Amino acid sequence: QVQLVESGGGSVQAGGSLRLACTASRRTINSACVSWFRQAPGKGREGIAAIYTGGRGSIYYIDSVKGRFTISEDNAENTVYLQMNSLKPEDTAMYYCAADVACFGWRDGIWVEHEYKYWGQGTQVTVST
């Protein structure tokens, strides 16, 4: 079983930055797909970014975060990061990371709803005007 723990959420003003971390309990995350999702109150889950870990290179973003968010990995720390810059009020949501054997649902610029096997508990991001 893989446990994922998110951290780094908080409250910032529009234009600010946060870096979220998703740390796994096992090294299996180093050869998996780790995705970041968010869910705002009253809205459905939205895929934001994904990465094939272990240096395999493939990275995905939804169009609305391209150029503002960056996903990266630190294999030694079993951690995947989401650097979020130029934050907007509409980025306010609970952010989750998830892992599975492949980046299910991802296409260039979009994410199609698909289940992932392992999930973290989430970290809240609030962006004020």
Side-chain angles (χ1 to χ4, degrees), residues 28-34 51-59 73 75 100-103:
T28 50
I29 197 176
N30 292 343
S31 59
C33 174
V34 176
I51 184 170
Y52 274 105
T53 59
R56 290 177 287 168
S58 293
I59 289 176
E73 60 174 325
N75 289 340
D100 212 320
V101 295
C103 290

Side-chain angles (χ1 to χ4, degrees), residues 25-38:
S25 59
R26 292 175 56 185
R27 285 198 172 275
T28 50
I29 197 176
N30 292 343
S31 59
C33 174
V34 176
S35 294
W36 282 97
F37 299 87
R38 65 187 178 189

Side-chain angles (χ1 to χ4, degrees), residues 9-128:
S11 297
V12 296
Q13 289 189 324
S17 298
L18 286 172
R19 188 177 76 158
L20 306 183
C22 173
T23 302
S25 59
R26 292 175 56 185
R27 285 198 172 275
T28 50
I29 197 176
N30 292 343
S31 59
C33 174
V34 176
S35 294
W36 282 97
F37 299 87
R38 65 187 178 189
Q39 188 163 17
K43 295 188 177 181
R45 185 173 59 192
E46 178 182 43
I48 309 167
I51 184 170
Y52 274 105
T53 59
R56 290 177 287 168
S58 293
I59 289 176
Y60 303 90
Y61 297 100
I62 56 168
D63 285 340
S64 63
V65 306
K66 283 181 180 178
R68 299 191 298 125
F69 292 9
T70 303
I71 191 170
S72 62
E73 60 174 325
D74 183 335
N75 289 340
E77 298 295 328
N78 295 344
T79 298
V80 171
Y81 296 100
L82 185 69
Q83 177 68 43
M84 305 188 297
N85 298 328
S86 302
L87 283 162
K88 304 176 182 180
E90 52 263 44
D91 294 318
T92 295
M94 184 69 80
Y95 283 68
Y96 302 88
C97 65
D100 212 320
V101 295
C103 290
F104 297 114
W106 283 98
R107 306 288 185 270
D108 185 28
I110 64 171
W111 178 73
V112 178
E113 178 76 33
H114 200 290
E115 285 303 316
Y116 276 66
K117 188 172 184 179
Y118 302 109
W119 288 87
Q121 293 300 307
T123 186
Q124 177 68 36
V125 172
T126 302
V127 185
S128 60

